[in-house]
Amino acid sequence: MARHLITSAIPYINGIKHLGNLVGSQLPADLYARYLRGRGHEVLFLCATDEHGTPAELAAAKAGKPVAEYCAEMHVVQARIAEGFRLSFDHFGRSSSAENKALTQHLAKRLAEEGLIREVTEKQMYSVADARFLPDRYIEGTCPNCGFESARGDQCDNCTKQLDPTDLINPRSTVSGSTELELRETKHLYLRQSEMKDKLEAWIDSKTDWPVLSTSIAKKWLNDGDGLQDRGITRDLSWGVPAQFDGAPWEGMDGKVFYVWFDAPIEYIACSQEWVAAGKGTDWERWWRTDKGADDVTYTQFMGKDNVPFHTIGFPATILGSAEPWKLVDYIKSFNYLNYDGGQFSTSRGRGVFMDQALEILPSDYWRWWLLSHAPESSDAEFTWENFQASVNKDLADVLGNFVSRITKFCRSKFGETVPEGGAWGAQEEALAEAIAGRVKAYEGFMDEKEVRKAAAELRAIWVLGNEYLQSAAPWSTFKEDPVKAAMQTRLGLNLIGLYAVLSAPFIPNASATMLAAMGAAGAGWPEDVKAALSALPAGHAFTVPEVLFAKIADEQREEWQTRFAGIRS
RNA sequence: GGGCCUGUAGCUCAAUGGUUAGAGCAGGGCGCUCAUAACGCCUUGGUUGGGGGUUCGAGUCCCUCCAGGCCUACCA
């Protein structure tokens, strides 16, 4: 038994996430966590809401609520949806927690003591009407390059030229529309990442088994242009971890907070403290402090590609720079994007399917299966309703669901709702057990390697073996001349359901639980010995015929959804 | 502009430089009747984006061009 720390990139508090966000981090992380728990390992699976930053403030203002209240409400909403998708976090924390505040300030102080913080005075755009500094992208104006009138202060969406807000003609605040903007001097703390370039690079170079996506993005940041740049870790905002605090090794940072990307990854650690505070655990240090038991922990992070720089550069720089024995990540599993029907999912335009809507129209298992079996691992992937309908109907309803249905109903009609007695395995059954054992090994291998799509394909192939067996054994024929043999075949068929339930649990936990309940096999463990697992349900054991596991999606239904989700979210 | 990724069957994807490039779905044929009009077997289908090169041998390595995507440090 090994110990596995697993974190999913923490979703931003600003609204409900879409399916692309889900498949990029939380869902595969959950798959892995469930698999490892199923194998009997000790797992701590953490996630949280990322609550600081300008967008949260603006969203709260738009909702007419204090930002703390807005975040508290949205956290509950996200937590409930996460439950709906059966995301099995050991704790779902908040980056605005007292724990994170204390730890963020502690680490910043440590970095300063190690000489890795420097103060920089710079000029930033200030909006008088909004009474706040504005990030570049919150300034809009006419592009000096192409004349586009809604160019953002960081880049023009029309001609893609990178801009400085001072380049814009007729600049205005996107918050209020005010043109009363001025450049003001402001002081910020910078993390001297450049000092740690060699150390970070050596660390990244040692990670030869990571997805190319993870390492190539990291190397790009390390070596682009003049190499790794220092990074500002404070912002002129009120909502966040205060940058000025008792015992701070600097002055003059009043009214400023740490940059959200500085405190967000720290929440991974703080979340484990929240986990203890919530009474769910007793010792967080054995997961995070290599001097206090965490040196045998394997730490795996899951995230979308947009998050990779912060996890390969920023957070490791914080951890390593602190010179304290924190556990560093061992493996970064990164994902590309999921597109929606020929374009991108769009939160602002309400294009695509959002997590709450998905749960309204279908149970979570449908989404889990499709998303995971089509996870954007090697390149961006695309969601289409036709593909979704075809995959779900074929894989879940026909191959797995119908298998459960056919064997339980056959047994009920010939032997009753009890595992039938008599007969012994022949060559055919031995061959089946061997074939399944081989595929289970492959399945475990893919899961261990976090090869999500390949694992899904292997699992499906295991389901298919059951149908192949029933087809060739044909207990409905055998029953006529040799009822005892038919009983043995049926018994094996019923046992396959229990095996499938356990193997499938990481992907489709609800259906798995239904299958186990129907078979009266709730405590079934991982089939380390497939042959034994296929005899787990003894003769005379009672079962029930479950309801249809997966209903099919009809064409008319699909068309309705297609229309409903094409445009503006209602 | 720079960097990275992707391009393989109608669709979604596989293939440590090594037999005749494989699966699933869709299409075609046959079988089965336990089952959710389900299942099984067989089968059609590819100049691996174009061109050049290295090699005994290239989907794979190199060069170049084309197409799509992402990132480019003040959104997160």
Side-chain angles (χ1 to χ4, degrees):
Chain A
M1 182 165 116
R3 302 174 60 219
H4 287 270
L5 174 63
I6 300 169
T7 58
S8 159
I10 63 179
Y12 198 65
I13 194 70
N14 178 17
I16 292 165
K17 304 294 112 178
H18 54 62
L19 296 181
N21 298 127
L22 178 64
V23 73
S25 54
Q26 292 178 319
L27 196 50
D30 182 67
L31 177 81
Y32 192 52
R34 285 177 177 275
Y35 164 72
L36 291 174
R37 289 194 200 104
R39 295 297 308 270
H41 298 303
E42 189 181 356
V43 170
L44 183 62
F45 176 28
L46 302 173
C47 192
T49 38
D50 178 14
E51 306 191 2
H52 296 139
T54 308
E57 286 191 340
L58 297 181
K62 196 176 171 188
K65 292 174 180 169
V67 62
E69 186 182 324
Y70 171 82
C71 288
E73 287 176 13
M74 286 308 299
H75 174 80
V76 172
V77 169
Q78 293 212 17
R80 194 169 296 148
I81 293 173
E83 270 175 45
F85 274 97
R86 297 296 179 265
L87 301 175
S88 60
F89 309 132
D90 289 298
H91 189 69
F92 188 57
R94 302 182 58 187
S95 69
S96 62
S97 67
E99 288 84 351
N100 196 35
K101 176 182 167 186
L103 188 56
T104 297
Q105 291 176 340
H106 166 79
L107 285 169
K109 186 180 170 186
R110 280 297 310 138
L111 290 167
E113 288 164 357
E114 293 296 318
L116 293 169
I117 298 286
R118 62 187 172 93
E119 297 181 16
V120 174
T121 298
E122 55 197 358
K123 288 183 175 172
Q124 305 238 318
M125 292 302 274
Y126 184 84
S127 168
V128 178
D130 299 306
R132 64 187 300 149
F133 282 94
L134 287 174
D136 293 354
R137 68 163 40 203
Y138 286 94
I139 311 278
E140 274 188 8
T142 301
C143 175
N145 189 48
C146 72
F148 182 61
E149 291 183 3
S150 301
R152 292 192 323 226
D154 57 341
Q155 185 176 40
C156 175
D157 281 339
N158 187 51
C159 67
T160 73
K161 186 179 169 63
Q162 284 173 65
L163 303 170
D164 207 288
T166 52
D167 297 335
L168 294 172
I169 301 163
N170 301 322
R172 61 184 183 275
S173 158
T174 59
V175 178
S176 61
S178 168
T179 55
E180 212 179 332
L181 304 171
E182 58 188 49
L183 271 181
R184 283 195 185 177
E185 273 203 349
T186 180
K187 189 171 78 173
H188 283 294
L189 302 180
Y190 271 63
L191 174 59
R192 301 174 70 184
Q193 295 183 146
S194 56
E195 293 290 308
M196 281 178 279
K197 194 239 176 193
D198 292 344
K199 205 177 210 176
L200 288 168
E201 189 161 33
W203 176 64
I204 291 293
D205 284 341
S206 74
K207 304 302 181 185
T208 53
D209 59 335
W210 286 11
V212 186
L213 190 60
S214 302
T215 49
S216 65
I217 291 174
K219 286 178 182 170
K220 162 74 171 170
W221 278 63
L222 286 166
N223 299 310
D224 195 36
D226 299 328
L228 185 58
Q229 302 298 300
D230 294 345
R231 182 151 185 141
I233 58 165
T234 52
R235 292 291 183 273
D236 286 289
L237 290 179
S238 56
W239 178 236
V241 175
Q244 191 65 59
F245 51 92
D246 286 345
W250 47 70
E251 296 293 331
M253 298 305 292
D254 307 272
K256 299 174 196 290
V257 300
F258 286 104
Y259 176 40
V260 41
W261 266 117
F262 182 70
D263 78 67
I266 294 171
E267 168 62 13
Y268 291 143
I269 305 174
C271 187
S272 69
Q273 300 174 347
E274 294 174 52
W275 167 71
V276 171
K280 298 173 184 172
T282 55
D283 185 356
W284 64 271
E285 290 186 312
R286 65 190 282 270
W287 290 99
W288 280 107
R289 294 285 299 218
T290 54
D291 59 333
K292 295 180 180 174
D295 47 348
D296 67 339
V297 167
T298 301
Y299 178 22
T300 309
Q301 293 177 341
F302 290 81
M303 69 199 66
K305 58 184 166 187
D306 51 333
N307 274 294
V308 171
F310 306 103
H311 290 78
T312 53
I313 306 292
F315 189 42
T318 301
I319 291 296
L320 291 170
S322 77
E324 293 178 332
W326 298 104
K327 174 70 191 170
L328 260 184
V329 66
D330 294 300
Y331 192 91
I332 292 183
K333 176 71 178 181
S334 52
F335 290 86
N336 287 283
Y337 292 146
L338 180 68
N339 290 317
Y340 179 80
D341 209 10
Q344 293 189 339
F345 275 87
S346 169
T347 303
S348 57
R349 280 176 299 166
R351 188 167 188 281
V353 186
F354 290 73
M355 286 172 73
D356 56 336
Q357 300 171 321
L359 290 176
E360 281 166 23
I361 64 176
L362 282 173
S364 58
D365 282 348
Y366 288 71
W367 299 106
R368 290 179 64 105
W369 174 255
W370 189 88
L371 290 168
L372 290 168
S373 61
H374 294 79
E377 290 178 303
S378 56
S379 62
D380 289 354
E382 176 156 313
F383 175 92
T384 65
W385 286 100
E386 286 85 356
N387 189 308
F388 177 67
Q389 177 195 27
S391 293
V392 161
N393 285 356
K394 193 70 191 173
D395 299 347
L396 296 182
D398 294 344
V399 176
L400 177 62
N402 182 58
F403 172 79
V404 172
S405 198
R406 67 192 294 205
I407 186 63
T408 52
K409 287 181 179 173
F410 174 77
C411 185
R412 179 172 64 184
S413 73
K414 303 298 185 209
F415 302 101
E417 286 180 277
T418 304
V419 177
E421 183 176 4
W425 281 17
Q428 199 173 5
E429 288 70 31
E430 296 289 349
L432 172 68
E434 207 167 301
I436 290 180
R439 285 203 175 273
V440 167
K441 275 280 161 286
Y443 177 60
E444 291 168 352
F446 289 137
M447 288 294 252
D448 288 337
E449 291 164 26
K450 280 87 62 180
E451 290 279 0
V452 177
R453 279 188 314 218
K454 287 178 183 175
E458 202 61 37
L459 179 60
R460 186 191 189 282
I462 294 171
W463 297 340
V464 167
L465 287 177
N467 282 311
E468 286 176 4
Y469 172 73
L470 283 192
Q471 199 61 38
S472 61
W476 50 90
S477 299
T478 318
F479 186 76
K480 293 169 191 163
E481 63 265 19
D482 189 352
V484 172
K485 186 174 183 185
M488 178 276 293
Q489 293 170 330
T490 304
R491 190 166 63 245
L492 177 53
L494 292 169
N495 268 289
L496 282 170
I497 298 175
L499 179 79
Y500 290 174
V502 174
L503 293 175
S504 310
F507 282 90
I508 46 174
N510 283 2
S512 169
T514 302
M515 290 160 74
L516 287 174
M519 302 317 293
W526 194 265
E528 303 294 346
D529 179 344
V530 167
K531 207 171 156 180
L534 289 176
S535 307
L537 299 178
H541 180 87
F543 71 92
T544 55
V545 175
E547 293 296 307
V548 165
L549 280 182
F550 298 100
K552 290 206 192 191
I553 298 168
D555 290 349
E556 309 79 63
Q557 181 67 80
R558 185 205 71 217
E559 285 161 16
E560 186 200 317
W561 290 335
Q562 223 155 5
T563 309
R564 180 171 155 196
F565 294 102
I568 302 300
R569 175 175 182 157
S570 53

